[in-house]
Amino acid sequence: MHIRSALEALSGWAAPGSRLVRRLAGRPRALDVLTALSCLAVMALDVPGLAAADNSLDTRLEAGLVLTASASTLLVRRRAPWLAYAVGLGLLGWLHELTLVQFALYSVARFWGRRAGVAAGVLYVVVAYALFNLPGWPVSRAATVAEFLSLVVPIGALAVGVGIAANRQDLVRALEKQRATTAALEAVQSERARVAGDVHDFVGRELTLLTVRSEVLARRARGEAYAQDFEELSETARRAHRVLNEIIVQRGADGAPTPGLDGLTALAEQSARAGSAVDLDVDDAALRLSPLRQAAVYRVVQECLTNAAKHAPGEPVRVRVGVGEGLARIAVSNVLPASAPGRAPVSAGTGTAGMAERVRSVGGTFEAGRGDGTYEVLAELPAGPGL
């Protein structure tokens, strides 16, 4: 019990620090300033000795100014880590100060890669060994070659190794970001293809009906002055249908058109069987939306229920579809679980991009994000004429 209480207290104390680290992770400039200050703080421990021994500095003020100016080179460590590295080697020969060059070695390895880091590390050891053999190396820093190597080499190797590891992590994160971006683009393209298919199905059906109706009217008006007009209208509708077929890529056998609002009940029942009850409320006016708009509503609700089942299994979901002021509104919210699922859900993370593309394809707007203990999705699209 005491151990658990101590661990809870430690986690409570560490929480602000972890939040600060996450906040700074997205601010490279702030991290550079923090790195420079950390290096200066470590070097400041040597200020009394620097002002009293083995160098030409006379006062603590001079020592502090020199170290501050040297540490400031870390502010450009991302673009020019070699500047801090060169200054660090200079401090090593003049003041026998090892701290700055270690920060610089890490920066070179992280931002310039493994080869640059290894080369900088080898040069650091060679220069340090040459300085050790010159007259004036302080005995307190290493009296023998063995002591020198046990001090200088491990520190340099550690700095380079950590820098290379951080560089690899940066590459992995960049690759994951690129992969996520590519997946999102593929989801958008896939959704556009589905929209195109729905346009083909819905508009093609209307054009077919128009063609048939025009032909019927042309037969009935045979012999009349306007019979030719009905025939031209029929041919125009037929030609428009052919153009539609040529422009839109045909789908495979499984490319059935996206259901409309009449399919929401089945989605809610399917979600309930999976353990997530759905409170579904659809305005009667929404049933008069065009097929394309109803398909957009269906896709949003479908993806929201899928995401809720993955990330908040067993939690209730509220779905509201209404029409007012010329807009159709879809609001979906689910309670976020108190703790993360035991196993991470299998998710490509592209569903939101697909939903947004579907809504924007009919001139709407889309928002999604965390609320007060809930995850909320709000989509609005023009209701169309007569609504």
Side-chain angles (χ1 to χ4, degrees):
M1 179 64 71
H2 295 293
I3 295 176
R4 181 181 299 175
S5 300
L7 291 176
E8 291 176 353
L10 287 174
S11 63
W13 294 336
S18 63
R19 286 194 295 269
L20 177 61
V21 171
R22 287 195 298 270
R23 194 177 299 114
L24 291 176
R27 300 179 179 178
R29 175 57 60 186
L31 282 177
D32 293 341
V33 172
L34 182 61
T35 300
L37 291 176
S38 300
C39 178
L40 179 61
V42 175
M43 291 193 298
L45 299 177
D46 283 343
V47 168
L50 294 176
D54 71 3
N55 61 77
S56 59
L57 299 177
D58 297 327
T59 66
R60 295 188 179 185
L61 177 60
E62 291 181 357
L65 291 176
V66 169
L67 295 183
T68 300
S70 301
S72 66
T73 58
L74 290 172
L75 296 176
V76 293
R77 67 193 185 107
R78 297 174 188 272
R79 292 172 297 171
W82 296 102
L83 176 61
Y85 178 74
V87 173
L89 290 181
L91 283 185
L92 181 63
W94 178 27
L95 306 179
H96 310 116
E97 175 60 62
L98 291 169
T99 305
L100 178 60
V101 73
Q102 309 307 322
F103 279 80
L105 282 171
Y106 167 83
S107 300
V108 170
R110 176 169 186 179
F111 301 115
W112 281 59
R114 181 181 62 182
R115 292 183 179 179
V118 172
V122 171
L123 179 60
Y124 154 75
V125 172
V126 171
V127 171
Y129 182 71
L131 293 173
F132 172 78
N133 288 287
L134 294 176
W137 182 270
V139 177
S140 60
R141 299 300 172 98
T144 65
V145 173
E147 291 178 358
F148 168 80
L149 294 178
S150 64
L151 173 68
V152 172
V153 176
I155 293 178
L158 178 63
V160 172
V162 174
I164 292 174
N167 177 262
R168 293 296 177 87
Q169 289 295 323
D170 290 341
L171 293 177
V172 170
R173 281 192 290 268
L175 180 60
E176 291 176 347
K177 184 178 180 179
Q178 183 179 7
R179 185 177 300 166
T181 301
T182 302
L185 290 175
E186 290 177 351
V188 169
Q189 293 298 328
S190 175
E191 194 61 33
R192 287 177 178 174
R194 296 183 65 171
V195 171
D198 290 339
V199 168
H200 173 269
D201 291 328
F202 298 139
V203 178
R205 181 181 60 190
E206 298 299 324
L207 288 174
T208 300
L209 293 176
L210 178 60
T211 302
V212 173
R213 183 61 176 163
S214 300
E215 291 175 348
V216 171
L217 292 176
R219 291 193 189 97
R220 290 180 178 178
R222 187 168 297 167
E224 301 291 339
Y226 49 83
Q228 184 66 27
D229 295 333
F230 285 124
E231 292 178 358
E232 290 179 358
L233 179 60
S234 175
E235 180 59 29
T236 300
R238 191 178 295 107
R239 188 165 54 250
H241 201 174
R242 286 197 299 268
V243 171
L244 186 66
N245 287 337
E246 292 173 359
I247 293 177
I248 298 179
V249 178
Q250 298 298 310
R251 293 163 294 168
D254 59 342
T258 304
L261 296 183
D262 53 354
L264 295 183
T265 301
L267 282 180
E269 293 174 351
Q270 182 181 5
S271 180
R273 288 194 297 270
S276 297
V278 179
D279 179 12
L280 178 63
D281 183 9
V282 179
D283 190 350
D284 291 338
L287 299 175
R288 300 198 301 272
L289 292 170
S290 69
L292 280 178
R293 288 176 172 82
Q294 290 195 34
V297 174
Y298 180 90
R299 283 287 293 129
V300 170
V301 175
Q302 180 187 45
E303 190 60 39
C304 286
L305 295 182
T306 301
N307 288 342
K310 289 180 180 179
H311 303 285
E315 300 293 343
V317 184
R318 182 180 181 184
V319 179
R320 295 290 182 268
V321 180
V323 176
E325 300 178 356
L327 292 175
R329 294 182 177 87
I330 309 103
V332 184
S333 63
N334 62 269
V335 178
L336 292 174
S339 58
R343 292 185 178 181
V346 178
S347 176
T350 59
T352 301
M355 283 191 289
E357 180 60 27
R358 171 66 73 151
V359 172
R360 295 188 185 112
S361 70
V362 291
T365 60
F366 179 87
E367 295 179 2
R370 292 176 176 266
D372 186 12
T374 61
Y375 188 82
E376 301 176 355
V377 172
L378 176 62
E380 293 184 344
L381 49 134
L387 290 174

